[in-house]
Amino acid sequence: MTQSESEITVVHVMRHGEVENPKGVLYGRLPGYHLSELGRRMADRVAEHLADRDITHVVASPLERAQETATPIAKAHGLDVASDRRLIEAANVFEGKTFGVGDGALRKPANWRHLTNPFRPSWGEPYIDQVVRMMAALGAARDAARGHEAVCVSHQLPIWIVRSFVERRRLWHDPRRRQCTLASLTSFTYRGDQIVSVGYSEPARDLVPAHLLAGAKPVKGASKGFGA
């Protein structure tokens, strides 16, 4: 085995912090959605958690909430935040609409046609397309941090989909069961170019509202994490 084949690189894929979204809009790829005060605290907490790690590359989705989440991590390591559009949120036909429990877009029969195929899914970007772009983004981060560690800041659905692919799970799923809480880290360890393990941690778990934790039951009027 050559040195490059045995070299260990860790790519941490972080979900951004809480967003200021009082109307509960599924913001998706819309511009203008920034971290809330709590979201900034989450980003600072993760930066503290990673302060002693060998981080040599920080990259984020171009959306404001991801860039703002990445900033304190990059600053702690004397780095600039790079941008990679492959880390962006999944496209969704309900973008800009409310999408709560018992209200919002699902009450309109005209929208039901978008819910006919959960396997693709019919309401947005195909899961396999998310896999392709996310794997490419992770590979680019790995190459930029060979033998060290990188942080990629992205969004819940693309992170969960690429993790599901790597761990050989089906891509269609119950969104309530995603293990990808706000400001969480899904960490991919590479030996050479191959992923050999996947880890998960929640450095800011105590800051996350209970109804936004993985597996929590949706609460009418309470969720502000749409399009996250």
Side-chain angles (χ1 to χ4, degrees):
M1 183 180 294
T2 65
Q3 181 178 354
S4 61
E5 291 173 332
S6 62
E7 195 169 53
I8 299 298
T9 307
V10 180
V11 178
H12 305 282
V13 187
M14 180 182 176
R15 183 182 172 192
H16 62 77
E18 187 193 55
V19 174
E20 188 65 37
N21 183 22
K23 295 183 179 179
V25 172
L26 194 154
Y27 37 78
R29 295 179 175 181
L30 293 174
Y33 283 87
H34 298 267
L35 292 183
S36 65
E37 180 179 352
L38 178 59
R40 291 192 292 272
R41 288 172 57 199
M42 292 176 181
D44 289 340
R45 172 71 64 79
V46 178
E48 293 171 5
H49 175 76
L50 294 173
D52 295 329
R53 303 299 294 258
D54 186 21
I55 307 293
T56 61
H57 181 66
V58 178
V59 60
S61 154
L63 296 173
E64 293 98 332
R65 58 192 186 271
Q67 292 283 318
E68 291 166 1
T69 299
T71 296
I73 299 171
K75 184 177 180 180
H77 294 274
L79 301 169
D80 294 325
V81 178
S83 181
D84 189 334
R85 187 168 178 80
R86 293 171 295 190
L87 295 170
I88 202 168
E89 174 64 289
N92 193 307
V93 298
F94 295 109
E95 189 176 274
K97 299 179 174 65
T98 57
F99 202 77
V101 179
D103 58 7
L106 291 185
R107 295 184 62 183
K108 300 178 181 179
N111 289 327
W112 296 351
R113 61 189 175 89
H114 297 301
L115 304 174
T116 57
N117 185 357
F119 306 105
R120 184 180 184 269
S122 52
W123 55 83
E125 182 182 8
Y127 292 137
I128 191 61
D129 290 358
Q130 295 179 54
V131 168
V132 171
R133 65 176 172 85
M134 287 295 288
M135 287 296 291
L138 267 61
R142 173 204 64 210
D143 291 343
R146 288 276 184 184
H148 305 279
E149 301 183 32
V151 175
C152 301
V153 181
S154 187
H155 308 267
Q156 185 190 55
L157 179 55
I159 297 171
W160 181 247
I161 289 299
V162 75
R163 178 181 172 184
S164 295
F165 174 77
V166 170
E167 295 182 333
R168 300 184 179 182
R169 288 192 301 274
R170 67 191 187 197
L171 300 184
W172 61 275
H173 60 282
D174 181 345
R176 297 169 297 181
R177 298 187 179 277
R178 295 173 189 159
Q179 189 183 41
C180 191
T181 296
L182 289 166
S184 61
L185 296 171
T186 301
S187 302
F188 298 83
T189 298
Y190 288 82
R191 178 176 289 114
D193 291 344
Q194 302 299 315
I195 296 174
V196 294
S197 68
V198 180
Y200 177 78
S201 60
E202 298 177 355
R205 182 180 177 86
D206 61 304
L207 299 178
V208 179
H211 68 279
L212 295 180
L213 291 169
K217 294 182 179 179
V219 178
K220 184 175 181 179
S223 181
K224 299 180 183 179
F226 300 114

